[in-house]
Amino acid sequence: MKIINNKILLISGLSLLSIFSSCESDYLEKDPTESASELLITSSLDNLNIALNGMHRNMYYRQNSSQGQNGATGVMIYMDVMGEDLVFPSTGNNWFVSTLRWLDNTNATSSGLFYPYDFYYGQIRIANIILKATPNVTGDQVLKDKVMGEAYAFRAYCYFMLTQIYAKRYVAGTSNSQPGVPLRLDDSFNPIPRSSIEEVYTSVNSDLQKSFSLLSGKARSNKSHFNAEVVKGLMARVALVQGKYANAATYAKEARQGFGLMTNTQYKSGFNDYSNSEWIWGYKPIETTSDFFGNFMAYMSRNYNSTQIRQAPKVVNNLLYSQFPTTDVRTQVIAPTGVHTSLTLSNSYSKYPYTSQKFLSVNATGTVDNNTSLGDIPFMRAAEMYLIEAEALAKDAREPESKIVFNEFTKNRNPLYVGTTKSGSAYIDEILTSRRLELWGEGFRFLDLKRLNLPLDRTGANHVSAVTNNLSMVPAGDKRWTWLIPQAEINASQGLVVQNEL
């Protein structure tokens, strides 16, 4: 087995990102002990493919960061705890509490603020190396296309996330000339200024189109990798943010083809198996490379036996819960009493009302197990695409078409649903409320509030003031919606990177 442990500098020398990788069949079952230079990585198509596989592993495995900062999965948690729908009933052992209090995003020297910036630019750095080297190596053209197609998808995904977090919101119909993020499309290290938001989105869309062209008609090894459908899903997300609703609806519909909605029984099984028919893109941590207390399930599952889960289980906003009937399967993974009788949790687990068992950890055989923090991680599901399509069609003045999509989706989640009777803005609100419950815990809420220009409103719900530090409201458009640029980047940029409003 070939393994690479390559230290690659970030765009301005801010940090180091390790690439740990292996052949796909065994998901790195050995420790990465061999090292190779960038020259070795770029010397063959096989090595470039290994580097690409390392990028996928980086998405869920902690590199040079703190516990809980496990690639993109840690960012997913950030994006939900900064919203109003994921509730902390206690501080537990303080993981993610400063993020929940909106303290990290306003502190330019915070490690929490630095971590997403560091992670995504580290991935971009590797993608740029792959994209530069792959055309110049010999090898099977299909594999070359797949390696380049995935690298383009990674770069687009990372810039899309960076711009949503560290720049102001995209506003359709305007120039969007406000500062975005530094847009580096090569493997150089010289300091560069921030490109405009429009320039970044133009690059993101260009990369996605290139990725789709290269990956179309090509099979992937498993759901952890990009294929044409995943790329279409990313295109749908980007188009929705940009207010290009006709495109968003089309891309979302195309992305979900072949991915049927799960049954109600599957919905209640723990969101831990990426072989589920509905999952378009997801990751599968394995026992031999488990990060244990750092894994996604170590924070988001109801059953993992850790101090974090026992003391501070993840709770659903009770006001959100109350908007859905008990016949909706999405309410059936939430325990209003907090007891969770089906899990037989011991007395050491704190029982808070409205805790969720949407996510359940499993052991290596896939059996629900509170002694491990394993469990596959959803990054894109057909449900999201249904909801994007319904929202986009409604906002594109195609409400009858939208209702066909939304009713089909909702009937799956609630067999007694008879169809929406709402119209106009009330109907769009119904879609968005459904999206809140459906995607709870999957890393969307902060980003949705920002793109919709809505306030953070935790008032009247089951939030605990001692946990939130009395942060209950953040107005729409407040400067805090735009995370500061890490001070280390400002310092290293030789004055080229300008800080956001302090």
Side-chain angles (χ1 to χ4, degrees):
M1 172 170 51
K2 296 180 179 178
I3 296 180
I4 292 179
N5 176 15
N6 184 35
K7 300 292 188 179
I8 294 183
L9 294 175
L10 198 58
I11 53 164
S12 56
L14 297 183
S15 73
L16 296 170
L17 177 71
S18 298
I19 303 176
F20 299 109
S21 169
S22 75
C23 46
E24 292 175 356
S25 61
D26 53 19
Y27 293 91
L28 213 161
E29 293 178 355
K30 296 180 182 178
D31 292 331
T33 57
E34 302 175 40
S35 63
S37 66
E38 182 180 321
L39 181 62
L40 179 57
I41 293 175
T42 59
S43 65
S44 73
L45 181 58
D46 284 344
N47 285 350
L48 287 164
N49 191 42
I50 289 170
L52 177 69
N53 291 337
M55 295 180 72
H56 283 292
R57 187 167 185 264
N58 289 343
M59 292 289 284
Y60 63 87
Y61 191 78
R62 173 163 43 119
Q63 304 295 339
N64 296 299
S65 56
S66 299
Q67 181 179 315
Q69 296 179 342
N70 284 40
T73 63
V75 181
M76 287 167 61
I77 298 173
Y78 278 24
M79 295 299 99
D80 269 325
V81 303
M82 290 186 70
E84 78 278 43
D85 292 335
L86 198 157
V87 175
F88 277 35
S90 75
T91 56
N93 46 9
N94 287 310
W95 292 111
F96 300 104
V97 171
S98 62
T99 307
L100 177 141
R101 292 173 173 173
W102 285 50
L103 298 177
D104 289 332
N105 56 310
T106 58
N107 180 359
T109 61
S110 164
S111 62
L113 175 128
F114 177 74
Y115 150 61
Y117 198 89
D118 177 35
F119 169 72
Y120 289 122
Y121 271 117
Q123 294 283 78
I124 289 167
R125 171 68 179 160
I126 304 168
N128 285 339
I129 290 171
I130 291 172
L131 290 170
K132 178 181 179 181
T134 304
N136 301 318
V137 298
T138 59
D140 177 71
Q141 188 60 48
V142 172
L143 180 57
K144 290 178 72 171
D145 288 350
K146 289 171 69 174
V147 168
M148 290 194 65
E150 291 205 62
Y152 277 123
F154 260 127
R155 190 167 72 179
Y157 165 76
C158 291
Y159 273 125
F160 179 51
M161 292 300 296
L162 282 166
T163 307
Q164 289 182 97
I165 295 170
Y166 295 97
K168 292 183 178 180
R169 60 186 290 269
Y170 189 97
V171 181
T174 69
S175 66
N176 290 289
S177 59
Q178 58 268 47
V181 294
L183 182 62
R184 188 177 299 279
L185 304 177
D186 57 36
D187 61 348
S188 63
F189 288 98
N190 57 300
I192 58 175
R194 298 169 67 176
S195 296
S196 71
I197 291 176
E198 190 64 48
E199 288 170 334
V200 177
Y201 273 88
T202 297
S203 177
V204 166
N205 283 308
S206 175
D207 279 355
L208 289 175
Q209 290 291 345
K210 292 174 185 175
S211 176
F212 179 76
S213 177
L214 289 163
L215 295 179
S216 289
K218 297 180 177 68
R220 58 180 172 177
S221 56
N222 56 66
K223 287 186 179 180
S224 68
H225 284 243
F226 296 111
N227 65 1
E229 287 71 32
V230 176
V231 174
K232 281 289 185 178
L234 293 175
M235 293 166 73
R237 290 178 181 178
V238 174
L240 187 68
V241 169
Q242 290 190 282
K244 299 178 179 180
Y245 297 124
N247 287 347
T250 298
Y251 296 149
K253 183 175 183 177
E254 293 172 348
R256 65 178 173 85
Q257 296 308 303
F259 298 93
L261 292 170
M262 69 180 86
T263 67
N264 282 196
T265 299
Q266 289 174 313
Y267 196 97
K268 294 186 284 187
S269 65
F271 275 73
N272 50 33
D273 183 0
Y274 77 170
S275 68
N276 186 303
S277 63
E278 186 174 303
W279 289 32
I280 302 173
W281 176 30
Y283 286 97
K284 186 181 189 68
I286 60 170
E287 192 168 19
T288 53
T289 57
S290 175
D291 197 24
F292 303 103
F293 294 108
N295 289 338
F296 179 80
M297 288 292 181
Y299 297 99
M300 293 303 298
S301 74
R302 182 63 187 101
N303 59 322
Y304 182 48
N305 188 16
S306 69
T307 302
Q308 171 68 15
I309 298 299
R310 292 192 306 269
Q311 294 184 357
K314 303 306 174 287
V315 172
V316 176
N317 183 318
N318 65 323
L319 300 182
L320 176 63
Y321 175 88
S322 67
Q323 297 184 64
F324 295 85
T326 57
T327 52
D328 192 311
V329 69
R330 295 172 295 184
T331 67
Q332 294 168 21
V333 297
I334 302 166
T337 63
V339 175
H340 297 276
T341 54
S342 64
L343 298 180
T344 62
L345 300 174
S346 71
N347 291 333
S348 64
Y349 286 77
S350 298
K351 312 298 197 300
Y352 294 99
Y354 302 102
T355 45
S356 172
Q357 64 179 64
K358 176 180 178 178
F359 300 104
L360 298 175
S361 67
V362 296
N363 59 28
T365 66
T367 304
V368 171
D369 187 346
N370 68 349
N371 291 318
T372 62
S373 61
L374 295 178
D376 300 354
I377 307 159
F379 271 72
M380 184 183 293
R381 297 189 289 115
E384 179 199 352
M385 296 300 115
Y386 271 93
L387 290 164
I388 288 177
E389 186 180 355
E391 178 186 346
L393 287 170
K395 290 181 174 178
D396 196 41
R398 296 155 66 186
E399 189 173 288
E401 295 175 66
S402 172
K403 287 182 175 180
I404 293 173
V405 175
F406 185 65
N407 288 343
E408 178 185 345
F409 166 74
T410 310
K411 180 73 173 178
N412 173 275
R413 297 311 194 230
N414 176 14
L416 298 185
Y417 186 74
V418 295
T420 182
T421 59
K422 299 178 180 178
S423 61
S425 60
Y427 168 59
I428 292 174
D429 285 344
E430 183 179 1
I431 298 171
L432 294 174
T433 302
S434 181
R435 179 181 170 94
R436 288 170 62 186
L437 187 62
E438 179 66 37
L439 300 180
W440 181 93
E442 296 181 50
F444 290 95
R445 190 54 184 159
F446 172 85
L447 299 177
D448 278 347
L449 287 169
K450 185 171 180 177
R451 77 171 172 90
L452 295 165
N453 199 31
L454 295 173
L456 173 74
D457 184 0
R458 294 172 174 167
T459 59
N462 49 337
H463 288 274
V464 180
S465 59
V467 178
T468 64
N469 202 26
N470 293 314
L471 179 68
S472 58
M473 289 285 294
V474 178
D478 189 280
K479 64 182 180 181
R480 288 171 288 178
W481 288 99
T482 305
W483 288 36
L484 297 181
I485 301 294
Q487 190 60 44
E489 171 74 304
I490 302 295
N491 296 342
S493 71
Q494 300 179 16
L496 292 178
V497 175
V498 177
Q499 183 58 276
N500 292 320
E501 184 182 358
L502 295 170

